[in-house]
Amino acid sequence: MSSTELEHLIKMINQIADNIAIGESDDVATAKLADHLKRFWARSMKEQIFNYANSDGEKLQPVAKKALTLLQSE
Amino acid sequence: MIQFFDPRQSGNPHQLLDVEKDYGTPPTCAEDAASTSLVSLTIDGQPVMVPAGTSIMRAAAALDINIPKLCATDSLQAFGSCRICLVEIEGRKGFPASCTALAEEGLVVRTQTEKVARLRRNVMELTISDHPLDCLTCPANGDCELQNAAGEVGLRDVRYGFDGENHLNAKKDCSHAYFTFDPGRCIVCSRCVRACAEVQGTYALTIDGRGFDSRVAAGQDEDFMDSECVACGACVQACPTATLMENSVIDLGLPEHSVLTTCAYCGVGCAFKAELKGDRIVRMVPFKGGQANRGHSCVKGRFAFGYTTHRDRVIRPMIRDTIDEPWRQVSWDEAVSFAASRIRAIQQQYGRESVGGITSSRCTNEETYLVQKLVRAAFGNNNVDTCARVCHSPTGYGLKTTLGESAGTQTFDSVEKADVIMVIGANPTDAHPVFASRLKRRLTQGASLIVADPRRIDLVNSPHVSSDYHLNLLPGTNVALINALSHVIVTEGLEAKEFIASRCEQEAFEHWRSFISKEHNSPDIMAPVTGISAEKIRDAARLFAQAKNGAIYYGLGVTEHSQGSSMVMGIANLAMLTGNIGREGVGVNPLRGQNNVQGSCDMGSFPHELPGYRHVSDESVRGLFEQAWGVKIDHEPGMRIPNMFDAAITGSFKGLYCQGEDIAQSDPNTHHVEEALRSLECLIVQDIFLNETAKYAHVFLPGASFLEKDGTFTNAERRISPVRKIMPPLSGKADWEGTMALSNALGYAMDYSHPAEIMDEIAELTPTFSGVSYQLLQETGSLQWPCNEASPHGTPIMHVDEFVRGKGFFAITEYVATDEKVNKKYPLLLTTGRILSQYNAGTQTRRTENISWHAEDVLEIHPFDAEERGVKDGDRVQVSSRAGATVLRADITDRVQAGVIYTTFHHPETGVNVITTENSDWATNCPEYKVTAVQVSKVTGVSDWQSKRELFSEQQIAFMGTADS
């Protein structure tokens, strides 16, 4: 996997978190972020970010991590 | 008695007048149509009833009593100068001009009497005494109102002779690319001057001198080309003689028939009569019955059609194995079989999701629909996207979230009722000129204007128009500004309480209210962020909040940011907060860039949505399409364009079908795009020219211009307008036929014999289009969706009684600063835009005479920034960002603020997207074109990228030259 592609995905998910999580409770922010990924991210993009979250995930914001966990559990 | 309704007054848009007829003066513009009273009068013995304020000339014309006229035409206010239209009124002295005399109750008017006839002949005699009598060789022969009027009044002799002083040998002005000014034929009726002022709003023309010396002058008595003239063609259209005449008519003679069609340039979607000799266009004339343009045009639609027959048109399919080898010219069959076998081989090796498609916002709805259908049904995935990704995707997201529908709320007519107009991140005089003229007309009637733009656009200050407030914010701080505006309105209690209570979700509003009221959204805190004083923000907010009708118009300066979607929602919030939704004169109005951006989005071009903005995960919607198309549709969203590029570089995305879109030039971070395109194993480009993207292609399918096919475009008002075939496709196939051939070669059968059948399928599967058919379009001229059982004739204004989503939703729009910040290395902010004469990547307009106005992209830089760098006007400067560098000429101007530079992206040689970065909108990945941190330095040569591009481009063009072998 190219680092650029993954870097972009990490940047994207954190940016989404920045924009929809502020001022929301943790649960609401997590749900909103998970829903956004579900509605707009392609299968391959979700797979890559899941793999990253499961293997390393260091650069992910806490709410992004939670959202990915939530999404994977669905 | 004939009761004569003006459609704009009767309130019934379907009760149209004869749009081909010139009624001499415009309908009266009463503010409140319903309260306009009617008056009855008698003209030549026939009774007629017209709205008060109607001229006698117009009332007579309604009875088909056509009073001779020269200075009058119904696109302009009555002027009363030529005195040909004199009439007699019983019981009154003298002979009033029927264009300026108004119909009154009980008048008895006679238009043809002995005295009137004598007077008219005298007037005509004087006019003709200073006019050449070379009618047979005059370019206007057969289309001359002066000639007609002379005939009507029965002029037989000019007693004054032609030996006296005259203007017959006045020097022609042939400076203009598209028309000639021959003052020797001018009758000084002022129609051109008034058209420039009233219709276009540019005021470039005047009558210079007095009495006999009076003559039309452009600018400061300059050549037309050097004057402020914007070449909209309104003066040419208004001229009753051959004084202002299209060069094409001078060269070719008058057209012999015409076809009504829709302009293929910007999102205004003007209706035009393509006037032809056989299948050759002589001229494009704006159609008076056009519901988007009301008879007006701009330099692009009116004149810049020469590209359609330009020698660069590629009209044979071509293929090649790699991009390092020459093209082979092949038959359509061979080209699509080659493409199909490659796509299937790629899918075999890399999987079903390794290919995708890009639909075109320049092609028709039907063509866009077919491309997304091909991707979903034949490729078997949802990897379909469109160039709206890089312009208005945040509009789709933002308006759907807040209002419930991904589209603007109004008609263009609506601006005529607006009292305070806010223009945000849009430059209508350049990018949507015909709408700009209508907007300027409203401003001259007294409406107020707030402009939010980092740059001093023309609307801020131009003749007879100036903004009340120019909020010249720093690029990237839109959301900070819109939040501050809303903060003022909420904290000062100026919100539309009743509207919010009855129309909006209360819980969401309360949540939003507590957010927006917070101190950090106040003008005082946001002033240093935006660069606008708190006082100015407060004043602008108060002005907008207190407007009877407040309308917001916005463009890509809103969407192309890291917070594009937030800003669109912020705009919707502001409109709801002030109760400015659901009636004429208000609304949220995205100004769409390309002719069919709205349509391409409507037609399911996004990877997560089927036609009609319905999510692919919705089983029942998918079921509908699966049944109609006979395939399974993937329930997961596909990849967006930037994701496709990333995956191509990674190696998991290998094949792309790109119709009518030049991603190599128009998408950001050119290095990245080029790397992605080079990584593809099969790039299929369908276009009318070998554009920048096609230079990386393996299959070239020749496209058809808008003159070569039937179909529909949908403009920024959701107006579906017909596009009609004027000439056969040069390549033998219209684009929809090309897509069909490719699909059939892929083994997914498509069999349409006409785009009308495709529209029928769209209507069957899309609730907002269910009433649309070619037959209805033929009857009504155009239709604004939703057009269905509930609104059989379309929906001019949306969200009237309730929002499409039920209750309006106030979305939280927290300001999050972009990552793209100035620093020591890159201390300036670059923002990009468009210019009047050019369109998008310039593929079309660069291949017309429009190039005379904009032969190259230039860099606007503030005098302070230029001085600091030792840059003088016209110097070559390199602009570099972390993404790349390019060289262009400097234009020193205070139109941009210090610290901000600006350029356009119309020329591939400049390639401004080499500089723009991969940053994008958080919700939609719409690129952040409008903010790039850069440095500017004086140089002599060109950038490395430019040298390489030139070599590559030359090689690719050479490859095409050998295609025949």
Side-chain angles (χ1 to χ4, degrees), chain A residues 1-2 4-5 8 11-12 15-16 18-20 22-24 36 38-46, chain B residues 353 397 562-563 566 608 615 634 636-638 640 643 646-647 650 814 819 918-920 922-923 925:
Chain A
M1 185 191 305
S2 118
T4 321
E5 187 175 13
H8 283 174
K11 185 173 176 178
M12 278 163 65
Q15 199 188 349
I16 300 164
D18 279 344
N19 277 278
I20 59 181
I22 294 179
E24 301 287 3
H36 189 94
K38 197 161 128 185
R39 284 198 296 146
F40 297 109
W41 280 35
R43 189 183 282 114
S44 62
M45 293 158 68
K46 282 183 272 205
Chain B
E353 294 175 21
Y397 178 90
S562 65
Q563 283 202 293
S566 306
H608 64 285
H615 203 274
D634 194 344
E636 286 275 0
R640 299 163 175 177
N643 313 134
D646 280 347
T650 308
E814 187 74 70
D819 294 344
E918 76 292 346
N919 282 357
S920 66
W922 65 270
N925 285 134

Side-chain angles (χ1 to χ4, degrees), chain B residues 92 130 164 238 274 365 371 573 680 875:
Chain B
R92 296 205 181 172
D130 192 7
N365 284 316
V371 173
N573 290 343
L680 296 174
D875 278 354

Side-chain angles (χ1 to χ4, degrees), chain B residues 648-694:
Chain B
I649 293 169
T650 308
S652 59
F653 187 79
K654 292 286 184 185
L656 180 66
Y657 170 34
C658 179
Q659 183 180 74
E661 167 68 356
D662 195 358
I663 44 180
Q665 192 183 337
S666 59
D667 283 37
N669 195 350
T670 310
H671 289 301
H672 185 68
V673 177
E674 287 174 351
E675 192 186 348
L677 295 179
R678 279 181 193 278
S679 308
L680 296 174
E681 289 180 10
C682 181
L683 172 59
I684 307 163
V685 168
Q686 189 171 12
D687 207 282
I688 58 176
F689 297 110
L690 193 83
N691 61 16
E692 298 304 298
T693 309

Side-chain angles (χ1 to χ4, degrees), chain B residues 808-936:
Chain B
F809 179 77
F810 279 84
I812 304 285
T813 56
E814 187 74 70
Y815 170 61
V816 180
T818 170
D819 294 344
E820 192 67 17
K821 293 185 173 70
V822 291
N823 52 34
K824 261 193 184 160
K825 197 172 174 195
Y826 301 117
L828 301 171
L829 284 180
L830 167 77
T831 187
T832 64
R834 289 157 168 74
I835 203 161
L836 170 66
S837 60
Q838 300 294 325
Y839 175 69
N840 203 267
T843 319
Q844 292 137 286
T845 43
R846 278 184 284 110
R847 291 179 172 96
T848 69
E849 294 297 329
N850 278 27
I851 206 73
S852 344
W853 286 277
H854 186 74
E856 58 182 328
D857 293 319
V858 294
L859 184 78
E860 289 187 4
I861 182 167
H862 191 274
F864 294 166
D865 295 324
E867 192 184 0
E868 206 170 277
R869 291 162 180 78
V871 172
K872 294 197 181 60
D873 208 35
D875 278 354
R876 295 182 75 81
V877 290
Q878 172 155 305
V879 184
S880 29
S881 73
R882 62 186 169 84
T886 192
V887 172
L888 63 176
R889 282 186 196 284
D891 173 15
I892 299 177
T893 170
D894 64 359
R895 192 184 268 268
V896 287
Q897 48 187 302
V900 177
I901 60 170
Y902 167 89
T903 190
T904 48
F905 70 112
H906 302 307
H907 288 270
E909 296 81 10
T910 327
V912 70
N913 283 319
V914 174
I915 317 168
T916 54
T917 70
E918 76 292 346
N919 282 357
S920 66
D921 171 46
W922 65 270
T924 66
N925 285 134
C926 179
E928 191 185 31
Y929 288 106
K930 302 292 183 183
V931 190
T932 311
V934 293
Q935 178 57 294
V936 170

Side-chain angles (χ1 to χ4, degrees), chain B residues 396-410:
Chain B
Y397 178 90
L399 297 187
K400 180 111 182 168
T401 306
T402 48
L403 312 180
E405 192 58 275
S406 303
T409 62
Q410 308 296 114

Side-chain angles (χ1 to χ4, degrees), chain B residues 357-380:
Chain B
I358 297 179
T359 73
S360 175
S361 293
R362 296 179 198 168
C363 286
T364 63
N365 284 316
E366 294 75 4
E367 287 165 342
T368 306
Y369 174 85
L370 278 203
V371 173
Q372 63 88 34
K373 180 175 178 179
L374 179 145
V375 171
R376 295 199 154 101
F379 288 180

Side-chain angles (χ1 to χ4, degrees), chain B residues 77 82 180 184 192 209 238 294 299 307 368 392 463 490 526 530 568 653 660 674 694 762 786 791 808 888 947:
Chain B
Q77 293 302 318
C82 77
T180 297
C192 55
R294 303 285 179 204
V299 60
Y307 73 88
T368 306
H392 265 293
V490 168
M526 287 309 184
T530 57
V568 172
F653 187 79
E674 287 174 351
I762 295 165
S791 313
L888 63 176
S947 327

